[in-house]
Amino acid sequence: MTPMGSIAAIILAAGYSSRMGAFKPLLPFGETTVLEQAVAVFRKAGVQDVRVVVGYRSEDLLPVLAGMKVRSVMNPCYQEGMFSSVLAGVESMGAECEAFFLMPVDFPLVRPETIELLAHARRDTSIGIFYPAFLGERGHPPLISNSYRERLLSWRGMGGLKAFLEQYEGDSMTVESGDEGILLDMDTLEDYERLRASLRVDSTPSRQVCEQLLCGRFAADSPVVEHCRAVARLALVLAERLNECGCRLDTAVVEAGALLHDLARDEPDHAAAGAAALTRMGHRAVADVVATHMDIQLDPGDAINAAELVFLADKLTRGTRYVPLEVRFRDQLERHAHEDDVLAKITCRLESARMIAKGVESRLGRRIEDVWTEATP
């Protein structure tokens, strides 16, 4: 977890929720409410100073905030719109605050990791404004240096916070997050129901998001990226051919798991580290695949699952070339021939790969070598 130091968070919850037709902050969201979810995002990221700006129906929100031990900031001018709540929140900040997040209450799917990512980006630069982005599109919450406090409080231009911040584009940084939640707000009941339903669905990142995570968010080097792409091509072709033979593999999970299997390649236990990162992002099914791409416990049943297929595709891919298992493992077996513990692990991986390959070939009715030509660019 990135140390937050004197970074605070301002959650804006003073509005009428007029387009929603219901009071947003207190709507149920998972096992809690929209407001409690917004507070939890920052607390899980390590932000201790969380403040909620209230106005409309403040009498209903104050007991909730007191129960969470969250500071409330009253906006007596909430009728004037959201920027008045921004000013009320910023005015409550003292010199002890170095920077602050600003987030409307109706962005409940922002992930704690995104908050940590922005705080981490701020550590080694003098830049004053940081925006999270999803595939290049900026969203909430921005992280703003407290050096802008007085200028914000004296701002009288049109266009509110957005117009104010646009003046300082040269002092801003866009940080790719891989977090679609930064763009998903709740203006209507339809929006609310869609976001609420997404809590019950495991998220599988698209190919585009996987590429952004691999190349941008985690900055994997070129050989790792090309290897992951090669593994993904082979795993996807195998999954598609197996499905044609009656299997029921989720090809999206297979492809994403293969593309991201070496996401944390520089970490000591990169399979576990990559899986942990993906779990924090809400990609649990893909995380399970990544977690087992090095060592796998084979399912005793007949069905081939996504994790087994990615494990096999990885073991058939040396760099960007597809090679027989014996060729892929030969150097490792020779190099560690006198290291009993290491040799046992390598041998176990080879045997697992052989068993999966045998099952795949049995279902396809042909050799894997005949299939991987379809995956070769």
Side-chain angles (χ1 to χ4, degrees), residues 98-109:
E98 295 180 1
F100 53 87
F101 292 96
L102 271 172
M103 189 172 81
V105 72
D106 58 351
F107 280 81
L109 294 184

Side-chain angles (χ1 to χ4, degrees), residues 186-220:
M186 305 185 322
D187 283 334
T188 66
L189 280 173
E190 290 76 16
D191 295 336
Y192 164 63
E193 291 297 346
R194 185 176 67 253
L195 267 60
R196 192 181 178 193
S198 71
L199 286 174
R200 301 188 293 270
V201 179
D202 181 43
S203 171
T204 300
S206 67
R207 181 182 303 174
Q208 188 178 23
V209 171
C210 289
E211 288 278 350
Q212 188 277 321
L213 288 172
L214 192 61
C215 302
R217 169 71 177 82
F218 288 88

Side-chain angles (χ1 to χ4, degrees), residues 8 16 76 133 159 161 188 208 225 259 282 294 309-311 318 331 351 374:
Y16 289 106
L161 180 66
T188 66
Q208 188 178 23
V225 171
L259 276 171
M294 286 295 292
L309 202 58
V310 171
F311 178 90
R318 184 166 65 182
D331 290 345
E351 289 306 313
E374 299 180 46

Side-chain angles (χ1 to χ4, degrees), residues 218-274:
F218 288 88
D221 61 30
S222 182
V224 171
V225 171
E226 293 305 321
H227 169 72
C228 289
R229 288 171 177 164
V231 173
R233 287 193 297 270
L234 178 56
L236 183 59
V237 168
L238 288 171
E240 290 172 343
R241 298 299 163 265
L242 286 166
N243 283 350
E244 290 170 1
C245 297
C247 293
R248 302 181 64 181
L249 288 156
D250 186 328
T251 55
V253 171
V254 169
E255 183 178 31
L259 276 171
L260 299 176
H261 76 278
D262 277 346
L263 187 72
R265 193 69 183 86
D266 292 334
E267 298 291 328
D269 185 350
H270 75 280

